[in-house]
Amino acid sequence: MTSPPRSFTRPQPDPVEAIRTASRALVRELGFMDATLAGSALSPSAVHALIELEQGGGCTASDLGRRLRLEKSSVSRLLARLVAAGSVAQEATRPDGREKSLALTAQGRAQVEGIHRFARNQVRQALHQLPPHQHGTVAQGLAAYAQALRAARQPGEEAAAQSAPPIEIARGLPPGALGRIVEMHARYYARERGFGRFFEAKLARELAEFSDRLDDPRNAVWVALQGDAVLGSIAIDADDFGPEAAHLRWFILDDGVRGSGTGRRLLTQAIAFCDRQGYPAIELWTLSGLGAARRLYDDAGFRLTEEVSAAQWGKETTEQRFRRVRPSEAA
């Protein structure tokens, strides 16, 4: 008698070790292990010093040390080399000469322009290896990690002042949003419910079909944006349930913003739109056991009306139907 086959569960990687491995790879791929950096004859610290002086001219040696996280003696030696090479000029700002303002020379500005050309080409070549919808994810992830490292080193007001840009709710689909919405669904439901390629392909087809109907003012989609990065979505589809109800669809959040209130903001936008349009009700289908989403639906006035077993996503699961009646209709 053979034992039943066990379902395959992919082990979850340790994020600490995954980030450490990726950080080592970045350091090596960007060339920080070499004596020179960015296609120049300059050391990594010299390259960063010139960029800082370009972006914030008029700073002093102390300012530069704080920005580069270098001790006073290291900054003094670095500046002495750059001044001797003709890349940086110093001008005394106090009569005793103890404090000097730093600025790039014409040669220094030309060096920085070459560094920028090299670095931009390096980034573009790397991004060319990724699908366009992942470009914003890379930028947002790197920025968030850098800010987290800085916050851990600089707790308090200084770190808070350098926090990530605010998350905005925007109507419509910016470039790359379709693929990003599919990606967030695919990753979340693969982890939580074991859904695979069938689910992802079906979702992509339905979302693409819906996007062709966005010219109809009864349909709408909103995304949560942090800079150019899409971190969440929600949509209202007027064509699924007839005139009696709008269909709320594709409500998803990036893992990094769960619990931030972004989901509630998206849901509020969608409900307000439906009420303005005069829909008698809003309905949605979801899976059982999604606790955080269920709490949002309950708070917004949705009530469970149906529960069925189905396999439309390629795997047997329990689906739930919720309905919210517009307040004037309920009265």
Side-chain angles (χ1 to χ4, degrees):
M1 181 176 180
T2 60
S3 59
R6 292 183 296 178
S7 60
F8 175 73
T9 302
R10 185 184 297 275
Q12 295 297 311
D14 179 356
V16 172
E17 293 307 316
I19 291 172
R20 290 185 63 219
T21 300
S23 297
R24 290 195 299 273
L26 277 174
V27 167
R28 296 167 186 171
E29 293 298 330
L30 291 173
F32 280 93
M33 302 294 287
D34 300 331
T36 61
L37 185 67
S40 71
L42 299 167
S43 67
S45 59
V47 167
H48 280 256
L50 293 183
I51 292 174
E52 286 298 325
L53 291 177
E54 179 211 28
Q55 296 180 349
C59 73
T60 65
S62 297
D63 297 330
L64 189 62
R66 283 193 295 271
R67 295 179 190 178
L68 298 181
R69 296 190 60 201
L70 292 175
E71 59 184 22
K72 184 177 180 180
S73 59
S74 297
V75 173
S76 296
R77 290 192 297 269
L78 172 61
L79 286 175
R81 292 195 296 270
L82 291 174
V83 170
S87 301
V88 173
Q90 299 182 100
E91 181 180 348
T93 57
R94 288 171 49 176
D96 60 8
R98 294 177 60 185
E99 186 175 90
K100 296 178 181 180
S101 175
L102 306 172
L104 293 178
T105 63
Q107 175 182 307
R109 289 192 294 273
Q111 287 175 302
V112 171
E113 289 175 5
I115 291 167
H116 285 323
R117 282 195 301 271
F118 179 93
R120 289 181 182 123
N121 185 58
Q122 189 178 36
V123 173
R124 290 189 185 104
Q125 288 181 345
L127 290 179
H128 187 66
Q129 310 303 313
L130 298 172
H133 71 267
Q134 290 186 356
H135 295 182
T137 303
V138 172
Q140 191 266 341
L142 286 172
Y145 184 49
Q147 288 155 2
L149 286 172
R150 189 180 299 116
R153 179 175 58 85
Q154 300 175 332
E157 294 183 2
E158 186 175 356
Q162 301 176 17
S163 60
I167 295 175
E168 300 178 346
I169 308 300
R171 183 173 173 179
L173 290 171
L178 279 174
R180 177 69 174 130
I181 293 169
V182 172
E183 179 194 14
M184 286 188 291
H185 279 83
R187 291 186 180 278
Y188 178 79
Y189 285 100
R191 182 182 71 237
E192 298 295 326
R193 297 303 171 96
F195 290 176
R197 188 176 59 214
F198 180 89
F199 168 79
E200 187 171 352
K202 180 177 171 64
L203 181 75
R205 287 193 299 270
E206 293 185 357
L207 185 57
E209 187 274 332
F210 171 75
S211 70
D212 290 337
R213 296 188 276 112
L214 280 175
D215 289 338
D216 185 337
R218 300 174 305 146
N219 298 322
V221 61
W222 297 263
V223 291
L225 293 173
Q226 189 172 55
D228 292 331
V230 176
L231 302 181
S233 68
I234 197 169
I236 292 296
D237 188 343
D239 298 327
D240 270 9
F241 296 151
E244 296 304 315
H247 187 183
L248 189 149
R249 310 182 73 180
W250 300 298
F251 186 21
I252 191 71
L253 292 175
D254 182 86
D255 288 343
V257 296
R258 295 183 186 278
S260 67
T262 303
R264 191 176 299 275
R265 292 169 63 195
L266 284 166
L267 185 59
T268 298
Q269 286 278 0
I271 290 173
F273 169 80
C274 290
D275 288 347
R276 288 195 304 270
Q277 291 281 349
Y279 291 112
I282 309 170
E283 294 194 357
L284 65 92
W285 282 97
T286 188
L287 304 182
S288 64
L290 303 182
R294 174 66 186 270
R295 287 190 291 274
L296 285 177
Y297 298 144
D298 287 343
D299 291 346
F302 285 86
R303 298 295 176 257
L304 179 64
T305 60
E306 187 178 356
E307 191 168 73
V308 297
S309 294
Q312 68 158 326
W313 301 110
K315 188 174 183 179
E316 190 74 21
T317 187
T318 300
E319 296 190 15
Q320 296 176 323
R321 186 170 186 166
F322 287 83
R323 181 180 180 90
R324 173 195 179 267
V325 178
R326 187 157 57 102
S328 60
E329 296 291 327

